[in-house]
Amino acid sequence: MIKQVSSEFFNSVPLDSGVLVKNWDKDHPDTVTNAMIVTATTGDFNIASVPTASNLFDDVNGVPVGSKEGYHVDSMLHTIGVTALNTTLETIKLALGTADIDDTTGSVTPRIGRPKSTDFVHLTWLGNTADGGLVAADLNDALSTAGLTLTTTKNGKGTFPLTIQGFTSIATPNVSPVSYYVFKADTETNTEGGETPAG
Amino acid sequence: MNKYQALQYFWSLFEWKAYNELTVPSDAMEKNNNRYITYESATDSYDNDLLLSASLWMRSTTWTEIHAKAAEISEYIETQFPPAIPIDGGFLKIRKGTPFATDAADDDPDIRRVRLNIYAEFLTAY
């Protein structure tokens, strides 16, 4: 009877919600400055890579339905979702996706049609694991696909959902929109000073 | 370290002597420069958040210093304490409870007490 898991199981458990940052450098994963943080958030992050698949052999006579040989991933949707708190020009533009900031007037104007290359941003979700390591979901060309829905409430905080999707490029079709990273802690936390309680 | 040592370790991070609340010496105030911490000792395992209390005790005629200590502990938990600390069999995760700090009365008017609440989750299999 298997009833217990090894203590090693807990090393890689992500703890707390993490943070959404811009311009993260995977070669310096621990370097996160306040300026990199996109927005304060509340609640859960939802990081998803969801495939759309078909089975090429399901209609072939004599082949069982659902064969692994026929399974084909047609596409994959990569998203980061969270509820954001900060209403700045940058975060409003981020939520709108295709929009233009005018610093002189302090405005953000939505735009329809094809996105500009500058609409796509490099965004990364970073989270800590129990053993002090780091896990990251890195979107190279990210664009909001859900628009802006700002909800405010009497005596409460205004929030808006943020859904960021990673996009691939025709120019680099084999480059995945997302990369997931797991970094182990460099050193063990020195907690050998745990004295036995008195009494 | 075991779970009990981990709680002792945590409450000993703040420069005040920390005691399991069930074993506080009668001269604790005098021995420790008129200030110390007592904490509730309880343990569990994975997926069970424990609400644990502790108290800051101080002999003083003002609340200033004890409030500053409570604020220091609050900031430490939020900004400096690791996501979890390794213990025998896994990790201990600590976060602030609600309300985090509450002033409490004592029969002695020169005793100041602040009750603290934390959530502790022992990420262990048993």
Side-chain angles (χ1 to χ4, degrees):
Chain A
M1 176 176 67
I2 298 173
K3 199 176 176 185
Q4 294 174 353
V5 295
S6 161
S7 62
E8 297 294 313
F9 167 80
F10 298 106
N11 289 353
S12 58
V13 173
L15 298 179
D16 298 326
S17 56
V19 66
L20 186 67
V21 301
K22 56 187 176 184
N23 302 323
W24 175 73
D25 183 353
K26 68 179 189 306
D27 295 325
H28 303 280
D30 288 337
T31 302
V32 178
T33 64
N34 267 338
M36 291 168 63
I37 297 175
V38 172
T39 174
T41 60
T42 182
D44 305 332
F45 272 90
N46 290 292
I47 296 102
S49 288
V50 180
T52 301
S54 57
N55 198 296
L56 304 176
F57 298 158
D58 274 355
D59 61 347
V60 176
N61 295 333
V63 175
V65 172
S67 66
K68 66 178 182 180
E69 291 82 0
Y71 183 79
H72 182 266
V73 177
D74 302 323
S75 63
M76 198 173 283
L77 184 66
H78 310 283
T79 56
I80 296 176
V82 72
T83 301
L85 289 170
N86 295 120
T87 46
T88 64
L89 294 178
E90 290 72 26
T91 59
I92 292 174
K93 178 202 165 19
L94 179 65
L96 289 170
T98 53
D100 298 296
I101 292 177
D102 186 336
D103 287 314
T104 56
T105 59
S107 66
V108 185
T109 305
R111 181 182 1 100
I112 61 172
R114 292 182 59 209
K116 299 178 183 176
S117 61
T118 50
D119 290 329
F120 296 92
V121 292
H122 177 201
L123 291 179
T124 311
W125 169 80
L126 295 175
N128 287 119
T129 53
D131 63 352
L134 197 68
V135 60
D138 190 38
L139 296 180
N140 284 315
D141 285 304
L143 184 73
S144 167
T145 54
L148 172 69
T149 304
L150 176 63
T151 304
T152 61
T153 181
K154 182 179 179 182
N155 298 327
K157 300 185 294 290
T159 64
F160 58 93
L162 205 53
T163 302
I164 308 294
Q165 178 179 332
F167 284 81
T168 188
S169 169
I170 297 174
T172 53
N174 295 321
V175 175
S176 170
V178 72
S179 296
Y180 291 96
Y181 297 90
V182 176
F183 299 94
K184 305 289 276 181
D186 284 336
T187 57
E188 291 185 11
T189 304
N190 180 12
T191 53
E192 58 188 38
E195 66 184 85
T196 299
Chain B
M1 55 184 164
N2 63 38
K3 295 175 182 179
Y4 304 95
Q5 290 172 329
L7 290 175
Q8 177 72 26
Y9 164 81
F10 173 76
W11 289 114
S12 299
L13 289 172
F14 308 109
E15 298 170 341
W16 289 16
K17 179 65 177 176
Y19 296 100
N20 180 320
E21 64 182 7
L22 300 177
T23 49
V24 183
S26 57
D27 60 349
M29 198 64 82
E30 291 70 31
K31 280 169 53 170
N32 298 297
N33 193 27
N34 293 318
R35 64 206 64 202
Y36 60 91
I37 298 173
T38 59
Y39 65 89
E40 180 183 6
S41 180
T43 67
D44 208 309
S45 56
Y46 176 65
D47 217 19
N48 292 301
D49 244 350
L50 293 180
L51 181 61
L52 299 178
S53 66
S55 286
L56 307 178
W57 299 87
M58 187 172 187
R59 182 176 296 282
S60 174
T61 55
T62 72
W63 289 94
T64 305
E65 198 170 343
I66 199 171
H67 281 167
K69 180 58 67 177
E72 174 194 325
I73 296 173
S74 171
E75 181 180 1
Y76 183 85
I77 293 173
E78 290 286 356
T79 64
Q80 296 187 53
F81 195 66
I85 56 172
I87 62 173
D88 298 342
F91 297 89
L92 168 62
K93 176 176 169 16
I94 285 180
R95 57 189 175 89
K96 286 162 49 182
T98 302
F100 173 66
T102 309
D103 294 349
D106 191 272
D107 292 339
D108 185 335
D110 288 336
I111 295 293
R112 298 289 178 262
R113 178 185 180 191
V114 173
R115 286 224 296 267
L116 305 178
N117 286 311
I118 63 165
Y119 285 105
E121 184 178 4
F122 292 91
L123 297 173
T124 59
Y126 51 87

